[in-house]
Amino acid sequence: MTRYLVSAGLARLADEMVGVAVLLLVLSRAGSGLFAGVVVAAYTVPSVLSGPLLGAWLDRARRPVLLLAANQFALAVSAVAMLFAPNALLPALAVVAGATLPMTSGGFTSVVPRLARARGTPLDRATARDALLFNGAAIGGPALASALAVGWSPVVAMASIGALSLVGGLCTTTLRVPPHPPDAHPSLWSAVRRGLRHLAATPPLRGATVASVLAHGATGLLFIALPFRLVELGAGDDRTGLVWAVLEVGCVVGILATRRRLARWRPERVVFATTALHGGTLLLWPFAGHFGVLLGVALVSGVAQGPTLTAVITSRQRYTPGPLLGQVSTTGASLKIGAFALGSAVGGALVEVWRWPAGAVIPLVAACQLLAASLGAIAARTRQPAPVTP
């Protein structure tokens, strides 16, 4: 699994850098917040459509590592092209970069069961390591992009994304992923419909997806409200990245503390419980009257949220046949990214247009987390047990 961890880690680190690096690059070149928002939206939105298609293609590929590697090469090319393209072409290049998002997350995750079986690694251990990669990249990516942009320039940050993606793609080509068992392959569109139908018709998988997507949409609200909350505390919005980093550190602590025990419970129930617990901790954020206190509360929230991602990945693995796992994983990633974009747009409207104080938006985020857990539990109800993938 070491090669996988290196390949997926480099891919996700580069991916997590893109949002911050693109934002700073556009602001330095165009000086327009509106245009920067357009480019960031162009980067985020395409993944909603690309996930199901790329996932179905990945499931059908005889050599999935080549498709995963090509995905990273596409990100590398688009990142480098942004350095030389005129401003008018930046949204189009951002679309290309954004289309790679689901494969970087869900695509790599979908091959973990096959790699684990081939190497005799317990699947729960491999899944926990994969989830730790997500959190590690979420900590390091934005921080590295900000450090490079501030210390040198946004150009250096974008060039680093290209280099990391290129190296990650080359590492990916060295992976040896066992193929799926031989089977009749329907058309690509039939495969897409089959995967979407499975995601919607499998109650525990449907419930986990509903909860995680709605919760991630609420996180989009928090993403916009947090800088305003820091200003209210007199800390400055430039410390926003530090709060997110502390939150992700808490996630890592949560995963490490629970990974040996998660197998005792059904994964969808872990998703519901941790999502609700995370929402409960968010209710404490408005009462943090000092930046240091807010960091402590953010750490607690991260610990509560930590097992969620591992449980989401496990639910996909447990309730999805191998030939559909790539599509289900990338579709789930697409839905979460789309929900985050929508939540960010709503958050921007609340604080900018309707002038909500950030202290009022954050309880709304907490309520949305609790609602996500409840709706997920309702969506997972069934009278018959769902088939479990061996």
Side-chain angles (χ1 to χ4, degrees):
M1 290 293 292
T2 302
R3 289 185 182 181
Y4 169 83
L5 295 175
V6 172
S7 302
L10 289 172
R12 289 167 183 165
L13 180 63
D15 220 7
E16 291 288 348
M17 292 176 64
V18 174
V20 173
V22 166
L23 177 63
L24 297 176
L25 178 70
V26 175
L27 288 175
S28 67
R29 286 175 52 171
S32 169
L34 178 61
F35 184 62
V38 170
V39 176
V40 171
Y43 168 67
T44 307
V45 173
S47 63
V48 177
L49 299 176
S50 67
L53 292 173
L54 291 175
W57 188 12
L58 181 65
D59 286 330
R60 294 159 54 87
R62 292 184 179 179
R63 301 188 65 183
V65 294
L66 296 183
L67 186 54
L68 292 171
N71 188 74
Q72 293 311 113
F73 296 148
L75 177 57
V77 170
S78 62
V80 174
M82 286 184 187
L83 302 179
F84 304 100
N87 289 347
L89 291 180
L90 290 180
L93 292 172
V95 168
V96 176
T100 68
L101 278 172
M103 288 282 279
T104 302
S105 53
F108 274 96
T109 296
S110 70
V111 302
V112 168
R114 282 185 277 172
L115 288 172
R117 283 195 298 268
R119 287 154 180 78
T121 303
L123 183 55
D124 57 344
R125 183 182 304 173
T127 300
R129 291 175 180 174
D130 193 45
L132 284 172
L133 271 184
F134 277 101
N135 296 118
I139 295 170
L144 180 58
S146 298
L148 292 174
V150 173
W152 284 274
S153 73
V155 172
V156 174
M158 289 301 300
S160 299
I161 292 170
L164 287 171
S165 299
L166 177 61
V167 175
L170 293 174
C171 291
T172 302
T173 60
T174 67
L175 296 176
R176 297 293 180 265
V177 178
H180 284 305
D183 195 5
H185 292 294
S187 68
L188 183 61
W189 287 109
S190 297
V192 170
R193 289 195 300 269
R194 181 184 172 197
L196 293 174
R197 190 183 305 115
H198 175 79
L199 184 62
T202 308
L205 180 60
R206 180 179 63 222
T209 301
V210 167
S212 62
V213 168
L214 294 179
H216 207 59
T219 302
L221 284 168
L222 183 62
F223 184 78
I224 298 299
L226 181 57
F228 293 89
R229 178 57 181 162
L230 294 182
V231 171
E232 291 175 357
L233 294 177
D237 57 6
D238 57 346
R239 297 189 182 184
T240 302
L242 180 58
V243 178
W244 286 113
V246 169
L247 182 79
E248 294 296 339
V249 169
C251 288
V252 171
V253 173
I255 293 174
L256 293 176
T258 60
R259 62 178 180 175
R260 296 184 184 278
R261 300 178 178 87
L262 289 180
R264 301 176 183 177
W265 302 290
R266 292 175 57 172
E268 70 274 17
R269 292 179 179 174
V270 175
V271 174
F272 308 148
T274 54
T275 299
L277 185 60
H278 177 61
T281 64
L282 286 172
L283 291 172
L284 302 175
W285 286 40
F287 299 100
H290 185 271
F291 179 67
V293 177
L294 181 61
L295 289 181
V297 175
L299 182 66
V300 173
S301 293
V303 173
Q305 187 185 36
T308 306
L309 181 58
T310 302
V312 170
I313 296 173
T314 302
S315 69
R316 294 170 183 166
Q317 295 169 347
R318 179 172 295 187
Y319 302 117
T320 305
L324 291 177
L325 185 56
Q327 186 188 345
V328 168
S329 297
T330 56
T331 299
S334 294
L335 292 173
K336 290 176 66 176
I337 295 166
F340 184 90
L342 180 59
S344 298
V346 172
L350 289 176
V351 298
E352 293 277 357
V353 179
W354 291 308
R355 302 296 181 183
W356 278 37
V361 176
I362 294 177
L364 177 61
V365 176
C368 289
Q369 296 281 341
L370 297 172
L371 179 63
S374 300
L375 292 179
I378 293 171
R381 287 180 178 175
T382 179
R383 295 182 179 179
Q384 298 179 346
V388 176
T389 302

